[in-house]
Amino acid sequence: MGLKVENSTILIGQNVDAEPARPLCLEDCLAHFTSVEVLVDAHICSGCGAAVKREKQLTIEALPNVLIVHLKRFDALGSRKVTEVVDFPTDSPLDLGPFLSKWRAKANNKSSLPTPHLYELNAVVNHHGDANKGHYTSFVKDGGLWFLCDDHSIKHVDLETVKHSEGYLLFYIRKVMAVAS
């Protein structure tokens, strides 16, 4: 699973050759992205000449008020649409606190952790079709209710319909807005 942060958008894609035993979970994807990675090439110490194992870890430095998660649904090399189910929070908050740089630093020091950074899902864009053609629809939350927007029609849908959709873009709004400095 790969994840890329561009501005306030997170891009998530899966190795299309892998068959997951269970649906992918958005939080698991984020945890994998921010886990420690051992680099293949060792660093040669200039003092003693010994090969030193190197690691890297990606974390998120700052969070936006509106978070857009882009699920990679197209495999350009295989010319196919990726249809694997991704379980994303719909009726519970998404907590991005554990993926922040300052959260990881405090967790490693065993000191008190910062407060959570909670996001609520407010819209989902879906793609229907294949890699060559298709149609886009969206689910939008208004007043606690979910609506399907499809060209010229808007209709009320239940939460289960949103949960089981083939989400392509997920729009999360921060529950406590950060003030721009």
Side-chain angles (χ1 to χ4, degrees):
M1 190 57 158
L3 184 124
K4 179 180 178 186
V5 179
E6 291 181 353
N7 299 325
S8 65
T9 304
I10 295 180
L11 306 167
I12 296 180
Q14 166 182 357
N15 177 352
V16 294
D17 297 328
E19 291 296 326
R22 63 180 175 85
L24 292 170
C25 171
L26 182 58
E27 292 94 332
D28 290 345
C29 295
L30 290 165
H32 177 73
F33 173 69
T34 58
S35 65
V36 175
E37 179 183 351
V38 177
L39 300 177
V40 179
D41 58 329
H43 172 73
I44 306 300
C45 176
S46 60
C48 67
V52 179
K53 178 176 75 170
R54 298 186 308 160
E55 297 177 341
K56 77 172 185 178
Q57 181 178 23
L58 300 175
T59 56
I60 301 170
E61 186 63 29
L63 295 171
N65 287 324
V66 176
L67 176 74
I68 304 166
V69 179
H70 178 189
L71 300 172
K72 182 179 176 187
R73 291 288 184 192
F74 300 102
D75 173 18
L77 296 176
S79 190
R80 73 175 193 95
K81 182 174 176 188
V82 178
T83 58
E84 280 75 14
V85 174
V86 177
D87 183 21
F88 51 89
T90 52
D91 52 353
S92 61
L94 172 63
D95 184 4
L96 291 183
F99 312 110
L100 290 172
S101 304
K102 62 184 174 185
W103 184 290
R104 292 288 170 103
K106 288 190 179 202
N108 291 339
N109 293 333
K110 306 280 191 242
S111 64
S112 64
L113 297 175
T115 57
H117 300 278
L118 303 177
Y119 285 78
E120 183 176 279
L121 184 67
N122 277 270
V124 177
V125 174
N126 299 287
H127 178 268
H128 309 277
D130 59 31
N132 299 314
K133 62 184 183 298
H135 177 71
Y136 290 92
T137 62
S138 63
F139 293 109
V140 179
K141 187 176 178 183
D142 183 44
L145 300 174
W146 283 97
F147 296 90
L148 169 63
C149 303
D150 185 358
D151 289 341
H152 300 290
S153 70
I154 298 174
K155 69 177 186 176
H156 177 260
V157 294
D158 62 9
L159 181 61
E160 289 303 310
T161 303
V162 178
K163 280 184 180 183
H164 299 297
S165 66
E166 238 179 61
Y168 178 59
L169 294 172
L170 311 174
F171 293 82
Y172 285 91
I173 305 293
R174 197 172 192 167
K175 289 183 79 123
V176 176
M177 297 288 182
V179 179
S181 50

